[in-house]
Amino acid sequence: MNTPHKTAFKMFLHAGQREEYQRRHDAIWPELVNLLKASGISDYSIYLDETHHVLFAVLRTSNNHAMDALPQHPVMQRWWQHMKDIMRCHADGSPVVEPLHCLFHLD
C-alpha cells in the first residue's frame, strides 16, 4: 500500500513581498509542477502569516517519493534563484526551511 505522508515546514518571506510571492506562484513554471508531481509530491499548500512574514507549507508525499533528489535538480535550482530575492535563503539559494511537527491531527 502506498499511503501518503504529510510534511509541514515553514519558510520566511521578506517584509513587503507578499504580492510578489503570490504573483510568482500564480505563474509557477509547468516544468516545476511536473517535477514536484514526478517526485511524489501532491496536495501542496503554502499559507502566509502576514504579521510575521512566515510561510507555512503542508504537502503530501508518496512512500516512494524522490523529494531528497530535488535540491540537485536544475529546475529546482533555477526556482530557488528566481525566489531568493524575496525570501530568507542559504548561500546556495535554497530557502531556509524549518520543519514543523504535528501535535494534533483529525481526519
Side-chain angles (χ1 to χ4, degrees), residues 2-71:
N2 193 11
T3 307
H5 174 75
K6 194 181 301 183
T7 300
F9 54 94
K10 62 183 176 176
M11 300 174 288
F12 307 91
L13 192 62
H14 295 320
Q17 295 299 319
R18 180 199 190 285
E19 289 79 17
E20 183 58 21
Y21 186 89
Q22 182 72 60
R23 185 188 70 75
R24 293 181 192 187
H25 280 78
D26 287 346
I28 193 167
W29 308 333
E31 63 267 33
L32 180 57
V33 171
N34 292 337
L35 174 64
L36 295 174
K37 288 181 178 183
S39 298
I41 296 171
S42 64
D43 193 16
Y44 189 179
S45 300
I46 301 173
Y47 301 88
L48 174 63
D49 172 351
E50 293 191 55
T51 302
H52 301 99
H53 316 291
V54 177
L55 298 160
F56 295 90
V58 180
L59 57 85
R60 292 185 188 274
T61 55
S62 60
N63 283 340
N64 58 347
H65 71 82
M67 254 181 77
D68 296 340
L70 288 174

Side-chain angles (χ1 to χ4, degrees), residues 87-103:
M87 301 177 65
R88 192 183 318 162
C89 293
H90 297 286
D92 67 355
S94 64
V96 172
V97 173
E98 294 180 3
L100 296 171
H101 303 283
C102 182
L103 299 180

